[in-house]
Amino acid sequence: MSALAAKNRDTEDLNVRARRRRDWTMAGFIVRRLLLLPVMLLAASVVIFLMLRLGPSDPALDYLRLSRVPPTPQALDEARRALGLDLPLITQYADWLWKALRLDFGQSYVTSRPVLPDLLHYLPATLQLAGAALVITLAISAPLGVWAARYRNGLPDQIVRLIAAIGVSMPNFWLGFLLALLFAVHLGWLPAMGRDGWRTLIMPAAAISFMTLSINARLLRASMLEAAGQRHVTWARLRGLSPRAVERSHVLRNALLPVITATGMYVGELIGGALVIESIFGWPGVGRYAVSAIFNRDYPVIQCFTLLMVAIFVICNLIVDIIYAWADPRVRLAAEGAP
Amino acid sequence: MSSLDAELAGDLASHDLIPPHAHGRRGFWREARWPARIAALVVGALALIALLGAWITPHDPDAVDLAIRLQPADAAHWLGTDHLGRDILSRLMAGATMSLGSVALAMALILTAGVILGGTAGFAGGRVDQMIMRVADVFLTFPTIVMALFMVGVLGVGLTNVIIAIAVTHWAWYARMVRGIVLSLRRRDFIAASRLAGASPTQTFIRHLLPATMAQLLVLATLDIGHIMLHVSGLSFLGLGVSAPTAEWGVMIADAREYVWTEPLLMFWPGLALFISVMALNTLGDALRDRLDPSLRAEHGH
């Protein structure tokens, strides 16, 4: 009796220790990934900077054009000096980086206002839209994928396959118009324009998420079928667990892992979709601001906008990786070395 | 990591690069199920329209005639006319040349860059490999649309620049795949034999490694091309690609925006053309993948 109790205590102790060690390695994993973050952003900033400087056009010329100064040689020289374009590339980059580290991304050539505050003013609307699209994607694709996998090659599977085939082929901006025509003009259920509460959020978010939810539903179906072929699933079935219980606790849990990874990939797609869709629904996000900056060749805005989007994308992927590591015991335990 | 990876990839490659059933040329058609057959027909018809474009349009796609603006469909104008009295069907057909042509061009650029850079990385190895793949990694950290917007910002507005931008945003995926296949094969005896027989690395690559990558490249390209088409038309919808008078599907949708509430069909047709083309290309890509490369059956998306 006492020997058993002692053994129990021992295993408990081991469990606690294992959990502690696991928390610690998770922390280590997160710290390592966090340390990688500035490196990636730095690399991205170098690419952005080099491409803008080595691109075919002369920023000084665009600067003068946008400030409506006739481009005489003298004015051009002055603009070059003012923008620091006469310095060596490395000096320019160091200069830019030093300012960027203090969150100074320069001023817009058009409005002469600091770039970052303007972008941050529009950013929440875009993030809200992309976030809503992500929620719709997950909420709809999960049941669709499970349904399709449950009735493999049956009618539900065919229906989901058809929906997915349509979803990945439909231009999101066209879908946006179709939704607006149906729900705003014909049925009058939803407002067609603006950003005013959740009712204005539905249509643009739905238009963005159709493609990603299609991809996700198919992916979940495929990974569920793959997970269902594992031996431990056969074992669970042999033990007499109900099909639903097997599906829930043995198939779905494993099948979600690839889906988590894919979520990181299509966060970029959702942000990109938001940038395009905003213009249709009059959504006051960064998309329109960025597009007008591209038309005007307003370099500081383009530069800051791109870096900001990359930062958001990279951070989202970091979060996804952490969730993945947390959800997959193999990653979690591999970090501890051999068990 | 890389040795295990290479071994795995080699294993896959040796089994799957040879099509499972080597039939004659008509094999694909006979084996394909009806969605794939319809898709093949649609893609063929689109390619024909895109090639013949200018010669077979019923009207001049750019002829403005304000007297007949916004007409509904009739015998002369099967799909009606737009806000400048231009024939919509003709513009759709002319748009096919633009839309499909620009996508084909972008794909050619991507494939060239992917094969050259990925092949060099895999074949040369060492520091060259490291450098090319690190650059590719940086490009992969950009979301596609954001990178494309940025490239258009750098290069300026216009269709050529949109095509270049799309190529710049996609090459890294292809380079990675080509490099993986090359890595898995470059230690094989037939490569060593080719080098010993006096063939230069470039010759060896073109003769013996490139054919091995073709099946997977073709599959990836067909699956991707619909996606790229959506990107290109999305950028022209934002007004960054083709300039206004030229017929292109994305621009036609953008042009129709002012009339979307009163003349919704103006926006409907070019979108439908785009939708059908992308769907046909995707279906064809799926069928090709199932036939040429069963190892790629996992869902593809980025």
Side-chain angles (χ1 to χ4, degrees):
Chain A
M1 184 64 206
S2 72
L4 195 66
K7 197 165 176 249
N8 263 344
R9 210 176 48 233
D10 272 1
T11 25
E12 246 167 59
D13 197 40
L14 269 179
N15 281 341
V16 168
R17 250 190 290 168
R19 197 171 312 133
R20 238 182 246 148
R21 205 167 44 179
R22 193 178 73 201
D23 288 346
W24 189 82
T25 46
M26 267 304 283
F29 174 80
I30 294 172
V31 167
R32 268 202 310 278
R33 290 302 314 264
L34 278 176
L35 287 178
L36 207 58
L37 192 69
V39 179
M40 289 168 83
L41 286 179
L42 208 61
S45 79
V46 171
V47 168
I48 293 171
F49 185 84
L50 279 181
M51 286 201 160
L52 274 176
R53 282 298 179 274
L54 302 178
S57 55
D58 183 355
L61 213 59
D62 290 301
Y63 176 73
L64 289 181
R65 182 172 52 76
L66 291 172
S67 19
R68 297 175 200 287
V69 177
T72 57
Q74 203 180 353
L76 219 51
D77 270 357
E78 249 166 58
R80 282 215 180 93
R81 220 166 307 126
L83 298 173
L85 296 172
D86 51 345
L87 301 170
L89 265 184
I90 298 209
T91 324
Q92 283 186 46
Y93 177 72
D95 209 36
W96 175 83
L97 185 66
W98 177 238
K99 282 187 181 155
L101 285 176
R102 290 175 296 160
L103 299 181
D104 173 10
F105 287 87
Q107 296 177 344
S108 157
Y109 290 176
V110 180
T111 61
S112 301
R113 286 155 54 90
V115 172
L116 190 64
D118 273 7
L119 275 169
L120 289 181
H121 173 73
Y122 292 113
L123 188 65
T126 300
L127 291 184
Q128 184 191 23
L129 190 52
L134 180 63
V135 170
I136 293 180
T137 300
L138 296 177
I140 295 184
S141 66
L144 279 184
V146 171
W147 195 45
R150 196 179 282 167
Y151 303 100
R152 181 186 191 178
N153 293 331
L155 186 63
D157 195 10
Q158 303 290 343
I159 293 174
V160 172
R161 187 172 301 176
L162 184 68
I163 294 175
I166 294 173
V168 295
S169 310
M170 194 165 270
N172 53 16
F173 50 98
W174 188 56
L175 178 62
F177 279 128
L178 294 184
L179 288 176
L181 272 177
L182 180 62
F183 291 107
V185 176
H186 284 280
L187 298 171
W189 290 353
L190 293 167
M193 290 284 235
R195 180 185 180 215
D196 183 22
W198 63 272
R199 279 160 52 86
T200 50
L201 193 57
I202 296 176
M203 281 196 295
I208 297 167
S209 57
F210 193 22
M211 169 176 282
T212 47
L213 81 84
S214 301
I215 296 174
N216 210 34
R218 294 286 294 163
L219 180 67
L220 182 60
R221 171 199 177 268
S223 73
M224 278 196 60
L225 290 178
E226 199 182 317
Q230 302 277 326
R231 266 190 287 183
H232 72 266
V233 176
T234 317
W235 170 231
R237 240 181 246 131
L238 286 175
R239 276 184 297 164
L241 293 181
S242 76
R244 291 289 178 274
V246 174
E247 185 184 274
R248 206 172 43 244
S249 40
H250 293 277
V251 177
L252 193 56
R253 280 191 62 171
N254 282 325
L256 283 178
L257 292 174
V259 175
I260 294 175
T261 314
T263 308
M265 302 300 299
Y266 59 62
V267 161
E269 203 74 22
L270 292 175
I271 294 173
L275 297 177
V276 176
I277 291 295
E278 277 168 7
S279 72
I280 296 171
F281 291 97
W283 192 264
V286 281
R288 286 192 296 176
Y289 186 62
V291 169
S292 70
I294 289 170
F295 270 112
N296 292 327
R297 301 187 158 230
D298 194 343
Y299 292 104
V301 177
I302 297 173
Q303 197 167 11
C304 185
F305 162 77
T306 312
L307 200 59
L308 200 61
M309 290 295 127
V310 172
I312 291 168
F313 184 57
V314 170
I315 289 170
C316 286
N317 269 295
L318 175 70
I319 296 170
V320 164
D321 280 357
I322 291 171
I323 294 175
Y324 186 95
W326 172 78
D328 188 346
R330 282 168 303 187
V331 176
R332 215 160 52 198
L333 298 175
E336 300 170 18
Chain B
M1 150 248 156
S2 62
S3 78
L4 184 69
D5 260 14
E7 206 175 304
L8 261 173
D11 218 32
L12 283 176
S14 61
H15 288 109
D16 297 325
L17 287 180
I18 305 145
H21 16 248
H23 289 304
R25 199 179 273 173
R26 293 179 52 82
F28 176 78
W29 184 258
R30 205 175 295 155
E31 270 187 23
R33 290 190 291 177
W34 62 266
R37 291 189 191 189
I38 295 176
L41 283 180
V42 171
V43 171
L46 279 170
L48 207 63
I49 293 174
L51 283 175
L52 297 178
W55 289 288
I56 55 170
T57 52
H59 298 266
D60 179 354
D62 297 328
V64 175
D65 183 357
L66 290 176
I68 52 163
R69 68 193 291 263
L70 297 174
Q71 296 253 315
D74 58 28
H77 303 277
W78 288 4
L79 297 179
T81 56
D82 70 0
H83 60 292
L84 295 175
R86 298 172 294 193
D87 179 50
I88 290 179
L89 182 63
S90 302
R91 287 184 72 71
L92 281 183
M93 291 166 81
T97 314
M98 271 289 165
S99 298
L100 292 175
S102 56
V103 171
L105 211 58
M107 195 37 111
L109 274 179
I110 294 170
L111 286 176
T112 314
V115 164
I116 291 178
L117 290 169
T120 312
F123 207 48
R127 216 172 267 165
V128 179
D129 180 24
Q130 283 287 319
M131 218 172 72
I132 294 179
M133 292 330 283
R134 286 299 82 78
V135 173
D137 283 346
V138 175
F139 275 82
L140 291 174
T141 58
F142 287 78
T144 329
I145 288 270
V146 171
M147 184 75 188
L149 285 175
F150 170 69
M151 284 310 297
V152 175
V154 170
L155 300 169
V157 175
L159 185 61
T160 321
N161 293 337
V162 165
I163 292 173
I164 296 173
I166 294 288
V168 168
T169 52
H170 283 76
W171 68 272
W173 300 92
Y174 289 76
R176 266 218 314 211
M177 198 191 76
V178 171
R179 171 181 176 268
I181 297 172
V182 169
L183 272 185
S184 72
L185 293 178
R186 73 175 182 151
R187 296 257 175 263
R188 295 288 186 83
D189 288 346
F190 68 92
I191 302 297
S194 160
R195 291 305 308 278
L196 280 175
S200 71
T202 321
Q203 262 178 325
T204 309
F205 179 76
I206 293 174
R207 281 276 196 73
H208 300 290
L209 288 171
L210 199 52
T213 62
M214 273 305 152
Q216 293 199 35
L217 271 183
L218 183 69
V219 169
L220 186 59
T222 347
L223 282 172
D224 229 15
I225 206 160
H227 208 77
I228 289 175
M229 206 163 171
L230 291 180
H231 279 315
V232 172
S233 59
L235 290 176
S236 19
F237 170 72
L238 290 176
L240 301 172
V242 187
S243 46
T246 317
E248 196 269 348
W249 295 340
V251 170
M252 288 176 74
I253 297 179
D255 276 353
R257 291 179 67 161
E258 289 173 46
Y259 307 91
V260 67
W261 311 126
T262 48
E263 303 282 339
L265 278 179
L266 228 54
M267 171 276 299
F268 180 76
W269 293 121
L272 188 69
L274 194 56
F275 171 54
I276 289 176
S277 319
V278 175
M279 192 149 170
L281 286 166
N282 284 340
T283 312
L284 198 62
D286 275 345
L288 273 181
R289 174 194 54 193
D290 290 350
R291 182 171 165 77
L292 292 177
D293 190 1
S295 70
L296 270 177
R297 255 179 222 200
E299 204 74 22
H300 165 86
H302 59 82

